[in-house]
Amino acid sequence: MNKQSGGCACGAVRYEASGKTEFAFHCHCRKCQRITGSGHASAFALHRDDIELTGEVREFEQMADNGAATYSGFCPKCGSPIFSRTVRFPDRLYLHVATLDDPSRFEPKFVVYEQAAQPWDYIDPALQAAPR
Ligand SMILES: [Zn+2]
Ligand SMILES: [Zn+2]
């Protein structure tokens, strides 16, 4: 995936992204479940310098299970989650894939926190467990 664009549900937040996807995954942790209101978050990581955001993004801070602070960036107008970031990998932004204008290009490779997955949520057996 090279040139990509996306934004929130109401359009107040928009981004243009380029560069190489560093990590494409489904995360089944409880935090992603709550943030997305669904069984998992589907996201991909880019270097933060490769993303140009416009519009106001607010961040909500919480502690990950490994003790590192994580931030969930969302549009304060419509509440759509846009990205996550963690102090553990300060150079990365994890964009939520459905914010893309063309989410069909997403190619997930990893599954994270599969042990927290809900019994009704599907896990593709072809995906690898993520390196921690
Ligand atoms: Zn919005
Ligand atoms: Zn998660």
Side-chain angles (χ1 to χ4, degrees), residues 25-43 60-74 79-87 96 112-118 121:
F25 62 100
H26 300 297
C27 181
H28 293 266
C29 81
R30 287 292 291 138
K31 293 179 177 75
C32 286
Q33 291 175 13
R34 286 195 195 275
I35 284 166
T36 61
S38 187
H40 59 270
S42 299
F60 155 66
E61 177 181 352
Q62 53 186 344
M63 283 299 155
D65 297 343
N66 61 19
T70 65
Y71 299 86
S72 177
F74 62 94
S80 304
I82 312 287
F83 63 79
S84 306
R85 63 184 180 89
T86 166
V87 294
H96 288 285
V112 186
Y113 289 108
E114 64 275 22
Q115 70 280 6
Q118 296 303 319
D121 201 13

